[in-house]
């Protein structure tokens, strides 16, 4: 409670980003008799924009599962990462949430493709703005080798088994 004459007041404390706050006021007369409380209003404090750390702008990757990283945003409880084949993010290749400021896809992104990514912070009460958009090109890796022996779930008595696989092949257009 504060004795304020007139309307308007600036809080003397810093409010936390991403939070919801409620407020109300009431008036007092010269004899310090209180009037009724006003309606209760609420407001939210905006989250900051997430600053992208990696994957770098224009970077050509050797992998199709890059480690996306960005700086933590004060007040954020989760982040949404989007990857698209166009910078308008129409038709998403990846749309995932993460509770930390990093995410590595669990599936391969399209090979040898120009892709765009962005992130936004979220809290229980507010969704922050999208970060800058960065472009990168995914790798063009060889095919996945197939395992030959020992067979899957095999029981062996050999303490030094020979591990064998079929070779992968280089993608077309590579040496």
């Amino acid at each position: 409670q504060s004795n304020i004459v007139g309307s308007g007041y600036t809080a003397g404390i810093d409010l936390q980003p991403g939070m919801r706050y409620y407020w109300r006021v009431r008036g007092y007369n010269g004899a310090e008799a209180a009037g009724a409380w006003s309606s209760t209003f609420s407001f939210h404090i905006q989250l900051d924009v997430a600053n992208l750390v990696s994957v770098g702008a224009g970077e050509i990757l050797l992998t199709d599962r890059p480690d996306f990283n960005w700086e933590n945003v004060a007040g954020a409880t989760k982040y949404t990462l989007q990857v698209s084949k166009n910078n308008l993010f129409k038709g998403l290749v990846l749309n995932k949430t993460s509770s930390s400021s990093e995410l590595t896809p669990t599936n391969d992104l399209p090979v040898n493709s120009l892709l765009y990514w962005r992130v936004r912070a979220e809290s229980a009460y507010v969704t922050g703005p999208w970060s800058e958009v960065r472009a990168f090109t995914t790798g063009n890796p060889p095919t996945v080798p197939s395992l030959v022996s020992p067979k899957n779930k095999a029981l062996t008595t050999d303490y030094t088994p020979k591990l064998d696989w079929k070779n992968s092949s280089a993608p077309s257009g590579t040496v």
Side-chain angles (χ1 to χ4, degrees):
Q1 178 178 342
S2 184
N3 293 330
I4 303 168
V5 178
S7 62
Y9 175 74
T10 300
I13 58 171
D14 288 333
L15 301 179
Q16 298 299 308
M19 295 299 297
R20 179 189 307 166
Y21 293 94
Y22 297 91
W23 69 286
R24 64 184 182 169
V25 295
R26 67 179 175 179
Y28 290 86
N29 66 14
E32 296 298 316
W37 284 104
S38 68
S39 301
T40 301
F41 281 18
S42 69
F43 64 95
H44 304 87
I45 302 294
Q46 177 66 43
L47 292 168
D48 289 334
V49 175
N51 293 316
L52 305 182
V53 175
S54 68
V55 172
E59 191 172 352
I60 298 174
L61 307 177
L62 299 176
T63 181
D64 297 326
R65 292 187 192 185
D67 296 323
F68 294 101
N69 292 283
W70 52 92
E71 293 177 3
N72 286 323
V73 174
T77 56
K78 67 179 180 177
Y79 302 90
T80 297
L81 166 77
Q82 290 185 336
V83 177
S84 179
K85 289 186 176 184
N86 64 67
N87 62 357
L88 299 176
F89 292 86
K90 305 287 185 199
L92 299 175
V93 172
L94 183 68
N95 187 32
K96 293 280 186 182
T97 59
S98 174
S99 58
S100 70
S101 59
E102 60 186 17
L103 189 139
T104 302
T106 54
N107 295 316
D108 291 342
L109 296 175
V111 298
N112 199 27
S113 297
L114 176 63
L115 299 174
Y116 301 87
W117 75 289
R118 65 184 181 179
V119 172
R120 72 175 172 197
E122 300 175 33
S123 75
Y125 307 107
V126 66
T127 299
W130 286 108
S131 67
E132 68 174 310
V133 174
R134 286 197 181 165
F136 65 96
T137 302
T138 53
N140 196 13
T143 60
V144 176
S146 43
L147 305 180
V148 175
S149 68
K151 297 287 186 201
N152 188 28
K153 299 181 183 178
L155 176 63
T156 181
T157 56
D158 186 352
Y159 292 110
T160 57
K162 178 183 177 190
L163 304 177
D164 192 20
W165 59 91
K166 289 185 182 176
N167 290 338
S168 58
S169 58
S172 62
T174 61
V175 179

